[in-house]
Amino acid sequence: MCGIVGYIGHRDAYPIIMKGLQRLEYRGYDSAGVALFDGEKINLTKTKGKVEDLRNKAETKMSLKGSLGIGHTRWATHGVPNDVNSHPHYSNSGNLVIIHNGIIENYESIKKELIKRGYHFDSDTDTEVLVNLIEEVQRTEHVKLGQAVQIALNQVVGAYAIAVFDIDKPDEIVVAKLGSPLAIGIGDKEFFIASDASPFIEFTNNAVYLEDEEMAIVRLGKEIKLRKIKDDAIAYPNILELQLNLEEIEKGGYDHFMLKEIYEQPRAIKDTYRGRLLADQGLITMAGIDQNLEKFLNANRIIIVACGTSWHAGLVAEYIFEDLARIPVEVEYASEFRYRNPIITDKDILIAISQSGETADTLAAIKLAKEKGAFVFGVCNVVGSSIARETDAGAYTHAGPEIGVASTKAFTTQITVLTLIALKLAKEKGIFSGSQYHEFLSELETIPTKVEIALRTNDMVREIAEIYKDSPNCLYLGRGYNFPVALEGALKLKEISYIHAEGYPAAEMKHGPIALIDEHMPVIIIATKKGHYEKVVSNIQEIKSRKGKIIAIVTEGDTQVRELADHVVEVPETMECLTPMLTTIPLQLLSYHIAVMRGCNVDQPRNLAKSVTVE
């Protein structure tokens, strides 16, 4: 949600910023802008629309010279998406320029006071208020930019990642963070600023991730200076070596990032259990669990908090933990959990799941649980992310960068990590015999190969998509482990194709949704042989008798459902608890192909952001 890029150094800033903005498009945005300082004046262009629209406008309207610059992709919060509300924003004097990700909650009261002092505002944004507040502090306190930023931020309420520069100090950029991610890439006599490392990965592998309530002055020829915003204490940068590589964030010959990421799942699952799953030795080794084993074994319950696709992975984990490890689990939307005064004790474990590791509601839920004394375990994909830093312990998925807004490999790799944890706890609790445990581990090791087989359904799924691409509604049904998969399948369809879709437990169909079924209603039903197969077959018969169009995801070799369904897609047989990693594959492909056929922007669906870093 919103993307920040900045550069100061010896190179031309414009191409670095524009390429960086393109790499941050996955975050979701509705407008974009760039500001460059050419040594004499600021050249600024911004526009509603895409980065390519900005490029076309900038290259015809402004000078592209300068080795200092900032750029931004905006996801509208305060003020509609238009050219004026786009970032960057000037201060009234024209000396300060700012980009901002986040929300300043008390901007209206600050704005009223600034208007009394003679300031005027062109936009409806909270960001223009912030840059003028910084200027007012400079003017009245007679301080340098860094101090002015610090004083101003102590007066605001909300979340932010900002980058601001002053034309009177063209050798520095001031950055600060609270609740929104911000990384500083450290090159040879040059610095890069971005919401994540993808904009600067080809220039440097060294980066500093700001902590909440930290600010930094990035100055040419100097080391980074970090300070705490609240108390001015010196902070010491932790320089990380990035594991990301350029090839991982390019499409690699695929038409869309989403399709690339769907096909990366066999590798991503294998990378996620690599070094952790030692099936031949009958071992699962996970440092975050091994070092805190007693906490897990003695926990009263596990609370899982997440949003979106990660919440669906958490629902799958609820079945896995309770079924295999016999530990009570509650799964909560992080956005609801943080506001409903939940009962949490020091005997609880909270597992927070997030692909980006920056989800605002999930971070708030973590802080709440820690205040109540719970042990907090994180599952996320991005090394150095806020959730990775805020939790007591955790486990990374190793999905690699996920650029498509619609999560695919995040879902399957999250389930992989959570399955490993549940299996390890089940073994430690003595629930499994040795042979059962080995059987589970060996079967989990085969999942990447079975996902590859499931991906071979692509052509068949494309043909089904052609038939139903114009359907206005769609119903997804599943039972047991595959009920969350039905929810996830429906989410994928609606978020990238804009077709209304709902996921239900199959047995709940008779409690309302069956009224929707007629010859125009496609029903995608997950009917694998494991689990409540006969019950699901009965549900299919009920749909068939009402002329519903049935698309069934079945275990290979199935004959009973094949006789009833209009379309059948087979996936390999596996243990029931592992079926979600296979049954989700054709549903991902179905949503992808329907979206492409409808002419939708698959990787950047309207109104959506990859990482929701503000409420």
Side-chain angles (χ1 to χ4, degrees):
M1 183 176 292
C2 295
I4 283 175
V5 181
Y7 176 77
I8 183 168
H10 53 84
R11 307 174 197 262
D12 288 336
Y14 175 76
I16 295 170
I17 291 170
M18 295 305 294
K19 185 67 173 179
L21 292 179
Q22 284 182 314
R23 290 190 181 149
L24 294 179
E25 285 187 299
Y26 74 91
R27 295 175 66 84
Y29 70 106
D30 43 50
S31 56
V34 60
L36 305 169
F37 183 66
D38 64 9
E40 296 181 359
K41 66 180 187 300
I42 296 170
N43 297 290
L44 186 150
T45 297
K46 50 188 184 176
T47 185
K48 177 184 176 182
K50 296 297 184 182
V51 172
E52 194 58 33
D53 299 321
L54 174 64
R55 183 189 300 278
N56 294 335
K57 187 174 180 180
E59 293 180 2
T60 58
K61 297 283 187 182
M62 66 179 251
S63 167
L64 305 181
K65 294 180 180 178
S67 56
L68 165 64
I70 54 177
H72 190 265
T73 53
R74 175 180 187 253
W75 194 85
T77 52
H78 296 91
V80 299
N82 61 26
D83 292 6
V84 174
N85 288 330
S86 304
H87 299 205
H89 285 285
Y90 284 116
S91 64
N92 273 193
S93 71
N95 283 2
L96 305 187
V97 187
I98 195 171
I99 49 179
H100 166 222
N101 178 13
I103 294 176
I104 305 302
E105 295 175 8
N106 61 335
Y107 83 103
E108 287 186 347
S109 60
I110 297 171
K111 185 175 184 178
K112 288 176 183 176
E113 179 61 30
L114 290 173
I115 289 172
K116 288 180 184 178
R117 300 187 185 194
Y119 286 83
H120 65 271
F121 296 89
D122 298 318
S123 75
D124 301 314
T125 68
D126 52 342
T127 304
E128 190 183 10
V129 174
L130 179 57
V131 72
N132 280 301
L133 175 61
I134 295 168
E135 179 162 282
E136 176 65 4
V137 172
Q138 269 189 314
R139 186 183 70 81
T140 58
E141 301 289 335
H142 307 290
V143 294
K144 295 178 181 179
L145 178 62
Q147 290 173 288
V149 168
Q150 183 178 8
I151 293 168
L153 291 179
N154 275 300
Q155 297 180 35
V156 304
V157 176
Y160 51 79
I162 65 168
V164 57
F165 71 86
D166 183 342
I167 61 172
D168 291 334
K169 292 285 290 181
D171 63 341
E172 71 178 31
I173 300 175
V174 178
V175 298
K177 172 197 182 303
L178 174 61
S180 294
L182 199 63
I184 303 170
I186 303 170
D188 182 12
K189 298 180 181 178
E190 60 183 348
F191 295 100
F192 307 83
I193 298 159
S195 296
D196 64 42
S198 61
F200 55 76
I201 191 61
E202 69 260 51
F203 301 107
T204 180
N205 287 323
N206 297 317
V208 171
Y209 288 88
L210 289 191
E211 300 285 351
D212 273 352
E213 297 187 337
E214 279 186 355
M215 60 176 290
I217 299 174
V218 178
R219 186 174 292 136
L220 271 181
K222 306 286 186 179
E223 293 184 351
I224 296 175
K225 289 185 176 180
L226 265 62
R227 290 194 174 276
K228 295 293 184 180
I229 293 168
K230 293 293 185 186
D231 59 12
D232 201 36
I234 295 173
Y236 296 95
N238 179 24
I239 300 174
L240 299 177
E241 184 175 350
L242 302 172
Q243 303 302 312
L244 189 64
N245 64 65
L246 186 59
E247 186 177 284
E248 286 183 312
I249 59 174
E250 301 294 348
K251 289 181 184 175
Y254 288 90
D255 290 338
H256 299 92
F257 282 112
M258 182 182 178
L259 186 61
K260 173 177 179 273
E261 288 155 10
I262 289 172
Y263 273 87
E264 285 177 339
Q265 285 174 109
R267 188 235 0 121
I269 293 168
K270 189 176 292 186
D271 285 349
T272 295
Y273 70 55
R274 190 190 311 277
R276 294 166 168 165
L277 173 62
L278 308 173
D280 56 339
Q281 301 175 44
L283 291 175
I284 292 174
T285 62
M286 301 180 73
I289 302 297
D290 292 334
Q291 294 165 10
N292 300 282
L293 192 58
E294 292 303 314
K295 288 186 173 68
F296 278 89
L297 295 177
N298 296 322
N300 287 341
R301 60 175 176 164
I302 292 173
I303 304 167
I304 296 175
V305 294
C307 301
T309 289
S310 296
W311 185 74
H312 296 154
L315 290 177
V316 174
E318 179 180 21
Y319 285 89
I320 295 171
F321 277 108
E322 293 196 342
D323 187 14
L324 303 186
R326 307 306 295 157
I327 298 174
V329 176
E330 296 176 15
V331 184
E332 301 263 9
Y333 280 117
S335 55
E336 290 297 311
F337 179 81
R338 63 181 292 195
Y339 285 119
R340 69 170 183 79
N341 194 22
I343 299 170
I344 310 169
T345 75
D346 58 5
K347 293 292 186 181
D348 294 328
I349 288 178
L350 183 132
I351 298 179
I353 311 173
S354 168
Q355 188 282 137
S356 67
E358 301 292 348
T359 309
D361 286 320
T362 307
L363 277 164
I366 288 169
K367 291 173 182 177
L368 174 62
K370 289 177 77 173
E371 288 170 4
K372 302 279 189 178
F375 179 79
V376 180
F377 189 90
V379 175
C380 64
N381 187 41
V382 180
V383 176
S385 60
S386 296
I387 286 176
R389 298 195 302 271
E390 287 287 341
T391 48
D392 297 308
Y396 287 114
T397 60
H398 294 291
E402 190 178 63
I403 306 300
V405 166
S407 279
T408 51
K409 59 181 180 174
F411 182 65
T412 48
T413 54
Q414 286 166 356
I415 293 173
T416 302
V417 164
L418 295 161
T419 301
L420 287 170
I421 296 171
L423 287 170
K424 184 173 182 64
L425 295 178
K427 177 64 164 58
E428 294 292 337
K429 293 178 73 172
I431 293 171
F432 290 146
S433 67
S435 60
Q436 286 176 311
Y437 188 59
H438 277 279
E439 186 181 357
F440 270 103
L441 300 193
S442 297
E443 185 60 24
L444 181 56
E445 199 173 42
T446 70
I447 291 299
T449 300
K450 291 183 176 182
V451 171
E452 288 178 354
I453 295 169
L455 286 166
R456 296 173 194 167
T457 64
N458 181 61
D459 291 344
M460 179 189 302
V461 172
R462 187 191 292 114
E463 292 173 4
I464 296 170
E466 184 67 48
I467 297 169
Y468 297 104
K469 64 179 175 17
D470 296 319
S471 299
N473 300 286
C474 203
L475 190 62
Y476 286 72
L477 302 175
R479 294 193 75 148
Y481 283 95
N482 283 297
F483 161 50
V485 177
L487 293 175
E488 174 64 9
L491 176 62
K492 285 290 148 297
L493 187 68
K494 65 182 123 184
E495 69 182 340
I496 65 169
S497 74
Y498 318 140
I499 292 173
H500 175 254
E502 295 294 335
Y504 270 88
E508 285 294 301
M509 180 183 64
K510 289 182 283 189
H511 293 271
I514 198 167
L516 299 171
I517 294 174
D518 59 19
E519 65 271 22
H520 304 296
M521 173 65 84
V523 181
I524 294 93
I525 188 159
I526 304 162
T528 54
K529 277 287 179 69
K530 304 294 183 182
H532 311 283
Y533 179 73
E534 296 301 330
K535 299 288 187 183
V536 175
V537 171
S538 295
N539 296 139
I540 293 173
Q541 289 169 331
E542 291 168 333
I543 297 166
K544 191 71 174 176
S545 67
R546 288 158 179 82
K547 300 182 180 180
K549 300 297 182 183
I550 300 166
I551 304 164
I553 312 301
V554 303
T555 305
E556 58 188 358
D558 182 285
T559 56
Q560 192 172 355
V561 173
R562 186 175 291 277
E563 292 177 358
L564 298 170
D566 297 276
H567 312 278
V568 170
V569 180
E570 293 186 349
V571 296
E573 185 170 1
T574 190
M575 294 176 167
E576 184 183 6
C577 65
L578 303 179
T579 56
M581 288 190 278
L582 304 181
T583 54
T584 195
I585 301 300
L587 303 188
Q588 293 172 352
L589 291 168
L590 181 66
S591 62
Y592 170 78
H593 288 300
I594 288 177
V596 170
M597 291 171 186
R598 290 168 65 90
C600 301
N601 189 336
V602 172
D603 288 332
Q604 299 165 38
R606 68 189 182 203
N607 303 330
L608 292 180
K610 180 67 176 174
S611 177
V612 182
T613 58
V614 296
E615 288 192 67

